[in-house]
Amino acid sequence: MSRKVVSILALICVVVISLAVHSQNKTRQVHLLSDEVKQVQLTNAALNEKVSQLESTNAALQRQVQDLMRNETFLDSKTDKVLPKVDRIAHAGGSLNGNTYTNSIDALNANKDKFNLFEIDLSFTSDNKLVCIHDWRRDVLSYAIGLDKDGIISFADFAKYRSTYTKWKVCSLDDLIVWLKANPGKRIVTDVKENNMAALTQIAQLYPDYISRFIPQIYDLEEYDAARKLGYKDLIFSLYKWGAFDKEVVASMKGKHLYGVATWYHRAPFLARLLGDEGIPVFAHTVNSKDIWQMLHGNYGVAEIYTDDLVN
């Protein structure tokens, strides 16, 4: 065999081997890509299944609440006792252009002709200043003042980021006092997730002339006497932190001078009759549906609601 033929055969072998290797690499890449696609599809399918489960659970809970509300074997009719008149409460200052939980001066101004009572979340900064923010999680800080950070911050940092945030102005305790002074007849319902009595003490000490303009929410029995001693006359006992059953709640509320008791709207019908017989109004939160409000009030005697935007 001539050298030329051998060279040609060798070249052909190299080409064939190269093509085979290239083909194997392509096949491997296709397999890897296929595996990635399958993984994404599996992840997507799992997420879709989870969403479907959550939607089914939510729908089931809503049906259960509606069934319980309509079923007189579970609920007595509403109390015959005439309850004190109470006002509706704008949740977190009320809705602002469709945004909720803003706890802002903007929300207070937008809703001051619709409501007299405004629930506001209060939290301590790292240097012990009260500001109007739900808590110090990253998503809350980002939403409230545009800060992409997780954890408590100083008042200086709060003021710095708030000053450059263009959506709304989250308030501080000092801002609330200025706003209350400019808006006679309006009152603040406090919601303090941590160190509630320290917050109520700070308000009472710094602004004693404005104690009557605040309606503190309290969360356990010990806070009732402590808040009354600070000078707060109207109190709302909020049940979302307390795991007591209905009978224990009613027994514990007897004889107490409360503006009301607040609870989730699905629990409110059960307590409205029991506490109504004691002359204590029940608030349901958070209700933005007129149908649910009419059912709660008309059928079961729930006195009022916390709401983002439901006026009538």
Side-chain angles (χ1 to χ4, degrees), residues 72-92:
E72 293 298 332
T73 64
F74 286 92
L75 298 168
D76 294 321
S77 59
K78 62 183 180 180
T79 183
D80 294 326
K81 193 162 187 174
V82 177
L83 297 175
K85 177 70 172 68
V86 292
D87 286 326
R88 187 161 299 186
I89 300 173
H91 175 237

mmCIF file of all heavy atoms in Angstrom, residues 72-92:
data_model
loop_
_atom_site.group_PDB
_atom_site.id
_atom_site.type_symbol
_atom_site.label_atom_id
_atom_site.label_comp_id
_atom_site.label_asym_id
_atom_site.label_seq_id
_atom_site.Cartn_x
_atom_site.Cartn_y
_atom_site.Cartn_z
ATOM 1 N N GLU A 72 -77.178 27.530 62.444
ATOM 2 C CA GLU A 72 -77.609 27.989 63.763
ATOM 3 C C GLU A 72 -77.377 26.922 64.832
ATOM 4 O O GLU A 72 -77.528 27.190 66.019
ATOM 5 C CB GLU A 72 -79.090 28.380 63.733
ATOM 6 C CG GLU A 72 -79.379 29.609 62.882
ATOM 7 C CD GLU A 72 -78.684 30.856 63.388
ATOM 8 O OE1 GLU A 72 -78.438 30.951 64.594
ATOM 9 O OE2 GLU A 72 -78.369 31.726 62.570
ATOM 10 N N THR A 73 -77.036 25.678 64.457
ATOM 11 C CA THR A 73 -76.739 24.674 65.469
ATOM 12 C C THR A 73 -75.395 24.951 66.124
ATOM 13 O O THR A 73 -75.122 24.477 67.214
ATOM 14 C CB THR A 73 -76.703 23.262 64.855
ATOM 15 O OG1 THR A 73 -75.638 23.188 63.914
ATOM 16 C CG2 THR A 73 -78.008 22.928 64.164
ATOM 17 N N PHE A 74 -74.546 25.752 65.464
ATOM 18 C CA PHE A 74 -73.249 26.109 66.027
ATOM 19 C C PHE A 74 -73.318 27.452 66.748
ATOM 20 O O PHE A 74 -72.555 27.709 67.662
ATOM 21 C CB PHE A 74 -72.192 26.201 64.922
ATOM 22 C CG PHE A 74 -71.775 24.871 64.394
ATOM 23 C CD1 PHE A 74 -72.416 24.326 63.294
ATOM 24 C CD2 PHE A 74 -70.762 24.162 65.003
ATOM 25 C CE1 PHE A 74 -72.022 23.085 62.800
ATOM 26 C CE2 PHE A 74 -70.367 22.919 64.511
ATOM 27 C CZ PHE A 74 -71.009 22.381 63.403
ATOM 28 N N LEU A 75 -74.201 28.342 66.306
ATOM 29 C CA LEU A 75 -74.224 29.713 66.813
ATOM 30 C C LEU A 75 -75.597 30.087 67.342
ATOM 31 O O LEU A 75 -76.614 29.777 66.715
ATOM 32 C CB LEU A 75 -73.852 30.686 65.680
ATOM 33 C CG LEU A 75 -72.453 30.541 65.079
ATOM 34 C CD1 LEU A 75 -72.365 31.363 63.815
ATOM 35 C CD2 LEU A 75 -71.409 30.961 66.070
ATOM 36 N N ASP A 76 -75.595 30.751 68.487
ATOM 37 C CA ASP A 76 -76.837 31.336 68.965
ATOM 38 C C ASP A 76 -77.114 32.603 68.175
ATOM 39 O O ASP A 76 -76.241 33.133 67.502
ATOM 40 C CB ASP A 76 -76.721 31.684 70.458
ATOM 41 C CG ASP A 76 -76.574 30.447 71.317
ATOM 42 O OD1 ASP A 76 -77.241 29.447 71.018
ATOM 43 O OD2 ASP A 76 -75.774 30.500 72.258
ATOM 44 N N SER A 77 -78.326 33.103 68.258
ATOM 45 C CA SER A 77 -78.623 34.386 67.630
ATOM 46 C C SER A 77 -77.889 35.481 68.382
ATOM 47 O O SER A 77 -77.395 35.283 69.485
ATOM 48 C CB SER A 77 -80.134 34.639 67.653
ATOM 49 O OG SER A 77 -80.603 34.630 68.996
ATOM 50 N N LYS A 78 -77.825 36.671 67.756
ATOM 51 C CA LYS A 78 -77.033 37.741 68.376
ATOM 52 C C LYS A 78 -77.671 38.215 69.677
ATOM 53 O O LYS A 78 -78.871 38.038 69.908
ATOM 54 C CB LYS A 78 -76.880 38.893 67.391
ATOM 55 C CG LYS A 78 -78.170 39.567 66.957
ATOM 56 C CD LYS A 78 -77.852 40.650 65.931
ATOM 57 C CE LYS A 78 -79.133 41.346 65.474
ATOM 58 N NZ LYS A 78 -78.833 42.395 64.478
ATOM 59 N N THR A 79 -76.852 38.852 70.500
ATOM 60 C CA THR A 79 -77.309 39.290 71.812
ATOM 61 C C THR A 79 -78.420 40.327 71.700
ATOM 62 O O THR A 79 -78.476 41.109 70.739
ATOM 63 C CB THR A 79 -76.126 39.881 72.614
ATOM 64 O OG1 THR A 79 -76.578 40.248 73.915
ATOM 65 C CG2 THR A 79 -75.552 41.107 71.923
ATOM 66 N N ASP A 80 -79.289 40.337 72.684
ATOM 67 C CA ASP A 80 -80.351 41.343 72.748
ATOM 68 C C ASP A 80 -79.884 42.592 73.495
ATOM 69 O O ASP A 80 -80.598 43.597 73.534
ATOM 70 C CB ASP A 80 -81.585 40.767 73.449
ATOM 71 C CG ASP A 80 -82.229 39.634 72.652
ATOM 72 O OD1 ASP A 80 -82.197 39.707 71.410
ATOM 73 O OD2 ASP A 80 -82.741 38.692 73.275
ATOM 74 N N LYS A 81 -78.700 42.529 74.073
ATOM 75 C CA LYS A 81 -78.189 43.641 74.862
ATOM 76 C C LYS A 81 -77.736 44.769 73.949
ATOM 77 O O LYS A 81 -77.125 44.538 72.904
ATOM 78 C CB LYS A 81 -77.026 43.170 75.730
ATOM 79 C CG LYS A 81 -76.635 44.165 76.811
ATOM 80 C CD LYS A 81 -75.809 43.481 77.884
ATOM 81 C CE LYS A 81 -75.572 44.424 79.052
ATOM 82 N NZ LYS A 81 -74.884 43.739 80.161
ATOM 83 N N VAL A 82 -78.035 45.998 74.325
ATOM 84 C CA VAL A 82 -77.592 47.167 73.560
ATOM 85 C C VAL A 82 -76.136 47.441 73.908
ATOM 86 O O VAL A 82 -75.793 47.688 75.069
ATOM 87 C CB VAL A 82 -78.461 48.403 73.876
ATOM 88 C CG1 VAL A 82 -77.938 49.619 73.122
ATOM 89 C CG2 VAL A 82 -79.912 48.133 73.524
ATOM 90 N N LEU A 83 -75.286 47.402 72.891
ATOM 91 C CA LEU A 83 -73.851 47.570 73.111
ATOM 92 C C LEU A 83 -73.432 49.020 72.917
ATOM 93 O O LEU A 83 -74.108 49.773 72.208
ATOM 94 C CB LEU A 83 -73.073 46.688 72.133
ATOM 95 C CG LEU A 83 -73.285 45.178 72.278
ATOM 96 C CD1 LEU A 83 -72.558 44.441 71.164
ATOM 97 C CD2 LEU A 83 -72.823 44.688 73.635
ATOM 98 N N PRO A 84 -72.338 49.411 73.533
ATOM 99 C CA PRO A 84 -71.827 50.772 73.299
ATOM 100 C C PRO A 84 -71.511 50.982 71.822
ATOM 101 O O PRO A 84 -71.076 50.053 71.132
ATOM 102 C CB PRO A 84 -70.550 50.817 74.142
ATOM 103 C CG PRO A 84 -70.678 49.698 75.118
ATOM 104 C CD PRO A 84 -71.500 48.644 74.464
ATOM 105 N N LYS A 85 -71.707 52.198 71.337
ATOM 106 C CA LYS A 85 -71.382 52.516 69.950
ATOM 107 C C LYS A 85 -69.866 52.614 69.802
ATOM 108 O O LYS A 85 -69.183 53.292 70.557
ATOM 109 C CB LYS A 85 -72.025 53.854 69.557
ATOM 110 C CG LYS A 85 -71.685 54.323 68.138
ATOM 111 C CD LYS A 85 -72.349 53.464 67.096
ATOM 112 C CE LYS A 85 -72.173 54.062 65.705
ATOM 113 N NZ LYS A 85 -70.770 54.034 65.234
ATOM 114 N N VAL A 86 -69.347 51.898 68.820
ATOM 115 C CA VAL A 86 -67.913 51.949 68.530
ATOM 116 C C VAL A 86 -67.720 52.288 67.061
ATOM 117 O O VAL A 86 -68.619 52.122 66.240
ATOM 118 C CB VAL A 86 -67.217 50.605 68.862
ATOM 119 C CG1 VAL A 86 -67.213 50.356 70.357
ATOM 120 C CG2 VAL A 86 -67.880 49.447 68.121
ATOM 121 N N ASP A 87 -66.532 52.767 66.730
ATOM 122 C CA ASP A 87 -66.219 53.175 65.357
ATOM 123 C C ASP A 87 -65.454 52.085 64.615
ATOM 124 O O ASP A 87 -64.747 51.275 65.218
ATOM 125 C CB ASP A 87 -65.387 54.460 65.354
ATOM 126 C CG ASP A 87 -66.220 55.685 65.700
ATOM 127 O OD1 ASP A 87 -67.405 55.715 65.330
ATOM 128 O OD2 ASP A 87 -65.681 56.603 66.355
ATOM 129 N N ARG A 88 -65.560 52.129 63.297
ATOM 130 C CA ARG A 88 -64.779 51.247 62.431
ATOM 131 C C ARG A 88 -63.313 51.663 62.480
ATOM 132 O O ARG A 88 -62.973 52.825 62.663
ATOM 133 C CB ARG A 88 -65.317 51.310 61.005
ATOM 134 C CG ARG A 88 -64.691 50.316 60.052
ATOM 135 C CD ARG A 88 -65.573 50.114 58.838
ATOM 136 N NE ARG A 88 -66.875 49.588 59.240
ATOM 137 C CZ ARG A 88 -67.826 49.206 58.389
ATOM 138 N NH1 ARG A 88 -67.618 49.320 57.079
ATOM 139 N NH2 ARG A 88 -68.962 48.742 58.830
ATOM 140 N N ILE A 89 -62.419 50.682 62.290
ATOM 141 C CA ILE A 89 -60.986 50.935 62.421
ATOM 142 C C ILE A 89 -60.299 50.735 61.073
ATOM 143 O O ILE A 89 -60.428 49.681 60.446
ATOM 144 C CB ILE A 89 -60.361 50.003 63.475
ATOM 145 C CG1 ILE A 89 -61.030 50.224 64.841
ATOM 146 C CG2 ILE A 89 -58.847 50.239 63.572
ATOM 147 C CD1 ILE A 89 -60.587 49.238 65.907
ATOM 148 N N ALA A 90 -59.570 51.750 60.622
ATOM 149 C CA ALA A 90 -58.805 51.672 59.381
ATOM 150 C C ALA A 90 -57.507 50.914 59.655
ATOM 151 O O ALA A 90 -56.652 51.363 60.420
ATOM 152 C CB ALA A 90 -58.498 53.064 58.842
ATOM 153 N N HIS A 91 -57.371 49.769 59.029
ATOM 154 C CA HIS A 91 -56.239 48.870 59.264
ATOM 155 C C HIS A 91 -54.937 49.445 58.700
ATOM 156 O O HIS A 91 -54.855 49.782 57.526
ATOM 157 C CB HIS A 91 -56.552 47.519 58.606
ATOM 158 C CG HIS A 91 -55.445 46.532 58.665
ATOM 159 N ND1 HIS A 91 -54.914 45.948 57.546
ATOM 160 C CD2 HIS A 91 -54.759 46.018 59.719
ATOM 161 C CE1 HIS A 91 -53.966 45.105 57.887
ATOM 162 N NE2 HIS A 91 -53.842 45.129 59.203
ATOM 163 N N ALA A 92 -53.915 49.576 59.567
ATOM 164 C CA ALA A 92 -52.598 50.113 59.171
ATOM 165 C C ALA A 92 -52.711 51.454 58.467
ATOM 166 O O ALA A 92 -51.998 51.744 57.517
ATOM 167 C CB ALA A 92 -51.848 49.103 58.292
#
